[in-house]
Amino acid sequence: MPEKNTFYITTPIYYVNGAPHIGHAYTTISSDVVARFMRMQQRDVYFLTGTDEHGAKNAEKAEEEGLDPQAFVDKNTAQFQMLFDRLSISNDDFIRTTEERHKKSVEVFMTKLQESDAFYEDEYEGLYCTGCEKFITQKELVDGLCPDHKKKPEVIKEKNYFFKLREYLPKVKELIARGEMKVEPESRRKEILGLLDHEVLDDFSISRESVKWGIKVPYDHSQTVYVWVEALQNYISALGYGHNDEKFQSYWPADVHVMAKDIIKFHAIFWPALLLAAGLQPPKKIFAHGFFTVNGDKMSKSIGNVIDPNELIDTFGSDATRYLLLSQFPFGQDGDIKADKFLEQYNADLAGGISNLLHRSISMTDKYFKGAVQEKPETHLIDVSLVKDAISEYREGFENMQIDHALKQIMHLVRHGNEIIEQQKPWELAKTDTVALGYVLYDVLELNRIISFLIYPFMPEAAERMQIALGVTYEEHMPFDEIIEWGTLGVGTMISKTEPLFMRK
Ligand code: MSP
């Protein structure tokens, strides 16, 4: 069977109990970068993001604000959508769990699980943390409080339906061990296999009696589907699973679910187990990036270190915000963000790097050759093998979900271009050797052209502006190998002057 050309990528659906912060922006931007890269590889991409709108956590916040839960989630979801628009997120779909299409799929899925005898009823008594939206054990508490939310858990005693998780664990383990469902990076795979080996993972409750804000269990309306079980299903409900499932047939199983490590257990163990129980295929890959702190501390309102992504966009613009967030630490590892480093880095890499390279190349071509690209040199001044190596590293970066590695290759090329200009001093050649001058400018313009394509997944607006300035066009059907082939810039192409891509600040 020919390999499917589709590529289905998802972000977590975010809780809307507050405004979006840079953690949400980080995951969504990184998934967008991968989605855009895959589109450049001519993959038929379906990129999904969205919001997790049910559950006790959202309901409690709505009550605090004196709003009806639907009005509350509408208001906050709009903030996520606005932010993603401002960040040029190219999602093909945005799922909200309060949508009718989600409810329909959830009902079909839950009925399927019931029919396959995956549930049993039991009386449950335990501790529930609404911050985590999960049951926690006495052992996990620190001074009687949930260690993550510093909140006293609620004591719950109610009738629940339980999912026979234990029955499916051997199969989940086999999927991971055989690489049929990849869990990346490797450290996370080990963590999950360790959990499967050592932690006694127990059957878990898939419904709640006392929570009303949610979707009713189809065969027992006294129960609401547990918010996590419902939320995970967004990945199939967005594809119309169970009622309008053309997209489901094309795109499922997902190529990759992207998230941070905080929710990997839900995705790498519970989700595939539920899918197996319903007779559906598990996702192909779960990728968990790291968790970041801000100025050394966990982001929190009380510490006052929460960074509003909208403020970053106001200061630096959308592309630069994308760049600054992704370039702080390796994707997949934990890291620390220091907001006061952003300005320095913006000026060095973007204003002084990419923008400077384009503008000096363009203005010299304008000044010395009235904007026309000159003959190609026989032997290049740019180190073409260095360019080729950087491109193959860039590709490898994407293949391994190391998008920061791909990003570094671009900066490497930018530095190389600026160095060549410094070494060749075109302004001196202009007085002595215009042929040699034309060669230098050809090479640096060509390097700019290649950079414009490589930066497209990361900084789509800058990429487009570079291409307009360089007189080149890009259409999605153009094969990647061809567009990044060295020497494609046509002799005689007219460049046009443009405002700096990134103004020094
Ligand atoms: N609603 C659930 C997810 C359901 S998916 C079926 C949820 N929502 S959340 O709003 O808490 O989002 C968690 C996700 O936000 C993390 O997995 C990560 O993608 C992102 N991040 C939130 N804070 C972050 C950091 N400090 N660092 C990195 N990513 C962060 O969990």
Side-chain angles (χ1 to χ4, degrees):
M1 228 172 52
E3 218 192 310
K4 266 171 73 175
N5 189 38
T6 54
F7 186 80
Y8 181 30
I9 176 168
T10 67
T11 72
I13 48 169
Y14 305 108
Y15 289 129
V16 289
N17 57 321
H21 57 61
I22 56 167
H24 306 126
Y26 182 78
T27 312
T28 316
I29 295 169
S30 49
S31 307
D32 184 60
V33 167
V34 176
R36 286 177 182 271
F37 173 80
M38 289 301 174
R39 287 195 197 101
M40 281 180 97
Q41 307 299 311
Q42 256 95 65
R43 300 288 291 269
D44 169 7
V45 172
Y46 202 74
F47 170 27
L48 175 72
T49 187
T51 41
D52 192 350
E53 305 189 356
H54 284 135
K57 189 175 172 125
N58 289 322
E60 270 177 14
K61 270 279 172 206
E63 206 179 311
E64 273 174 36
E65 289 193 17
L67 284 174
D68 155 72
Q70 188 65 55
F72 172 79
V73 297
D74 285 350
K75 168 177 78 85
N76 283 358
T77 293
Q79 293 196 50
F80 278 81
Q81 289 173 326
M82 255 165 355
L83 173 67
F84 294 170
D85 270 357
R86 291 191 77 193
L87 286 170
S88 312
I89 303 301
S90 65
N91 52 303
D92 297 284
D93 197 354
F94 188 102
I95 180 94
R96 301 184 54 183
T97 54
T98 52
E99 283 176 77
E100 196 53 34
R101 60 171 172 156
H102 178 68
K103 186 171 169 232
K104 276 192 191 162
S105 293
V106 169
E107 284 170 354
V108 174
F109 189 82
M110 298 308 284
T111 308
K112 193 104 188 190
L113 291 177
Q114 163 77 354
E115 284 165 2
S116 50
D117 198 25
F119 299 148
Y120 58 92
E121 210 180 307
D122 206 355
E123 181 75 28
Y124 189 76
E125 187 167 0
L127 301 170
Y128 192 84
C129 171
T130 31
C132 303
E133 287 283 19
K134 66 178 186 197
F135 284 101
I136 58 178
T137 59
Q138 276 291 355
K139 262 202 319 212
E140 291 171 294
L141 303 183
V142 177
D143 299 329
L145 305 178
C146 157
D148 285 339
H149 296 93
K150 312 278 178 261
K151 230 174 126 176
K152 202 168 167 212
E154 282 173 58
V155 180
I156 306 282
K157 187 168 185 228
E158 56 183 33
K159 181 187 97 174
N160 282 175
Y161 286 100
F162 279 76
F163 171 56
K164 297 178 181 166
L165 177 69
R166 276 175 302 180
E167 241 177 56
Y168 298 93
L169 291 178
K171 181 76 184 140
V172 171
K173 192 176 161 197
E174 203 179 295
L175 284 173
I176 300 175
R178 286 201 192 150
E180 285 167 38
M181 184 181 81
K182 296 195 171 65
V183 179
E184 293 181 3
E186 180 57 21
S187 54
R188 299 289 154 231
R189 180 174 172 272
K190 285 204 183 110
E191 173 189 324
I192 293 295
L193 285 174
L195 280 182
L196 288 165
D197 278 337
H198 305 297
E199 201 192 55
V200 201
L201 287 162
D202 223 337
D203 295 350
F204 65 88
S205 145
I206 57 92
S207 70
R208 294 292 314 276
E209 196 174 57
S210 55
V211 175
K212 298 292 170 224
W213 180 234
I215 298 177
K216 298 266 166 280
V217 173
Y219 46 87
D220 180 350
H221 283 191
S222 72
Q223 298 276 321
T224 304
V225 180
Y226 170 40
V227 67
W228 258 106
V229 169
E230 184 219 304
L232 287 163
Q233 293 173 56
N234 88 88
Y235 303 128
I236 56 174
S237 69
L239 301 178
Y241 166 77
H243 57 99
N244 180 11
D245 73 352
E246 208 176 299
K247 283 200 193 105
F248 180 76
Q249 296 305 336
S250 319
Y251 293 105
W252 191 258
D255 289 82
V256 57
H257 289 318
V258 181
M259 72 211 66
K261 62 177 190 180
D262 55 337
I263 53 177
I264 192 164
K265 188 162 128 185
F266 286 99
H267 285 81
I269 300 179
F270 299 169
W271 179 223
L274 288 163
L275 286 163
L276 289 172
L280 300 177
Q281 280 181 276
K284 292 187 209 158
K285 191 191 285 187
I286 309 289
F287 185 91
H289 62 68
F291 222 68
F292 55 76
T293 47
V294 174
N295 304 326
D297 285 307
K298 192 176 165 184
M299 250 191 307
S300 102
K301 282 196 196 124
S302 52
I303 300 178
N305 63 351
V306 179
I307 301 176
D308 177 353
N310 281 301
E311 278 174 22
L312 282 181
I313 303 172
D314 293 342
T315 312
F316 298 109
S318 165
D319 276 358
T321 299
R322 293 167 64 106
Y323 176 81
L324 292 171
L325 286 181
L326 290 191
S327 56
Q328 297 311 303
F329 53 89
F331 193 58
Q333 289 176 26
D334 289 343
D336 188 43
I337 288 191
K338 292 193 172 45
D340 53 4
K341 268 181 53 190
F342 284 159
L343 181 63
E344 193 186 311
Q345 203 189 346
Y346 171 92
N347 281 328
D349 297 354
L350 300 180
I354 294 186
S355 193
N356 188 26
L357 176 63
L358 178 74
H359 289 284
R360 51 212 304 219
S361 315
I362 294 278
S363 29
M364 287 190 283
T365 309
D366 181 66
K367 182 168 169 193
Y368 303 130
F369 298 111
K370 298 197 173 66
V373 174
Q374 301 298 294
E375 286 298 320
K376 264 189 235 186
E378 298 265 310
T379 37
H380 295 283
L381 297 152
I382 293 280
D383 183 348
V384 177
S385 67
L386 180 145
V387 176
K388 289 201 171 128
D389 288 350
I391 293 173
S392 71
E393 288 285 321
Y394 172 93
R395 284 189 127 139
E396 217 177 290
F398 273 103
E399 270 151 35
N400 301 320
M401 294 288 284
Q402 288 176 336
I403 54 179
D404 58 295
H405 185 70
L407 193 51
K408 276 202 195 107
Q409 306 310 312
I410 305 174
M411 293 318 295
H412 204 47
L413 295 181
V414 169
R415 274 193 296 277
H416 183 55
N418 278 323
E419 273 161 24
I420 293 292
I421 296 180
E422 297 301 327
Q423 277 166 17
Q424 297 296 321
K425 301 190 174 46
W427 47 91
E428 287 182 6
L429 285 177
K431 294 178 210 148
T432 56
D433 187 346
T434 48
V435 177
L437 172 66
Y439 289 162
V440 176
L441 291 182
Y442 181 91
D443 268 10
V444 290
L445 288 169
E446 176 60 350
L447 185 66
N448 270 290
R449 189 190 68 80
I450 290 184
I451 291 171
S452 80
F453 289 108
L454 300 181
I455 68 165
Y456 167 75
F458 297 94
M459 293 184 274
E461 281 169 31
E464 200 178 316
R465 287 181 55 204
M466 279 181 93
Q467 285 158 9
I468 293 170
L470 294 164
V472 297
T473 46
Y474 168 62
E475 282 156 37
E476 275 193 0
H477 61 81
M478 291 156 79
F480 188 68
D481 284 340
E482 277 175 28
I483 57 178
I484 45 127
E485 175 82 27
W486 180 267
T488 318
L489 182 65
V491 174
T493 303
M494 295 302 292
I495 55 91
S496 43
K497 285 180 89 175
T498 164
E499 290 289 299
L501 292 177
F502 300 102
M503 292 280 201
R504 198 166 272 283
K505 293 196 190 287

